[in-house]
Amino acid sequence: MRRTSLAHWPCSIARALDLLGDQWTPLVLREAFYGVRRFDDFQTSLGIARNTLAERLRRLVDEGLLDKRAYQDEPPRYDYVPTEKGRDFYGVLAAMARWGDRWLSGAEGVPVVLHHERCGHDTHAEVVCAACREPLRAEDTAARLGPGYPPRLAERPDVKRRFG
């Protein structure tokens, strides 16, 4: 069954999900942040099928989130290292972990603690307003159409109702 592409939707969430929305892709990136670099190590740590891992790594390289660097010629072997674009996804994973820690952890506690090396404290992600640094909450936020929203869609009654 073929899935519907969201790559050209006028929504950054939809576009991100089109690239990163399967269950394995964020986990491959998580492992890269944990220091995993080689195919066999990704496969071992995740227990993912080799063909699925190969496809996810290929896509992450093609989309510029991972850089593929040869470390052996015969046979060819590669390290997979996060690029700037890939490193920028870390905050998304940290926010997902924070939500999971809050709502899905049992009595035993959170499974992984983030430690901020710069200040020496254990921490968690907080999503805040970039201007005033207050917590970014749905009830205090409104979505408005941006300059990249297609004008032909902006005229639809449902879009006008949704975005005002």
Side-chain angles (χ1 to χ4, degrees), residues 24-140:
W24 289 115
T25 302
L27 295 176
V28 169
L29 287 168
R30 179 200 68 190
E31 292 303 302
F33 288 119
Y34 287 172
V36 174
R37 296 286 182 260
R38 297 183 175 173
F39 186 95
D40 289 339
D41 295 334
F42 281 108
Q43 202 277 323
T44 299
S45 65
L46 292 170
I48 184 174
R50 295 179 73 79
N51 63 322
T52 302
L53 176 58
E55 169 56 28
R56 296 316 182 274
L57 288 171
R58 183 200 57 76
R59 181 121 192 247
L60 289 167
V61 169
D62 289 350
E63 293 290 340
L65 280 89
L66 293 178
D67 189 25
K68 184 178 177 180
R69 299 178 184 167
Y71 70 86
Q72 178 179 310
D73 291 330
E74 293 297 328
R77 299 274 190 247
Y78 302 93
D79 282 334
Y80 295 89
V81 180
T83 62
E84 180 183 0
K85 184 177 180 180
R87 290 188 304 273
D88 202 36
F89 190 69
Y90 182 79
V92 176
L93 291 176
M96 289 173 66
R98 171 64 172 157
W99 185 88
D101 290 348
R102 180 171 181 192
W103 297 105
L104 305 175
S105 290
E108 65 279 0
V110 302
V112 174
V113 175
L114 299 179
H115 183 78
H116 191 229
E117 295 291 334
R118 284 186 154 191
C119 73
H121 290 91
D122 290 346
T123 192
H124 60 265
E126 293 283 340
V127 180
V128 299
C129 172
C132 71
R133 311 311 285 174
E134 289 291 318
L136 197 58
R137 301 177 327 149
E139 57 268 24
D140 301 327

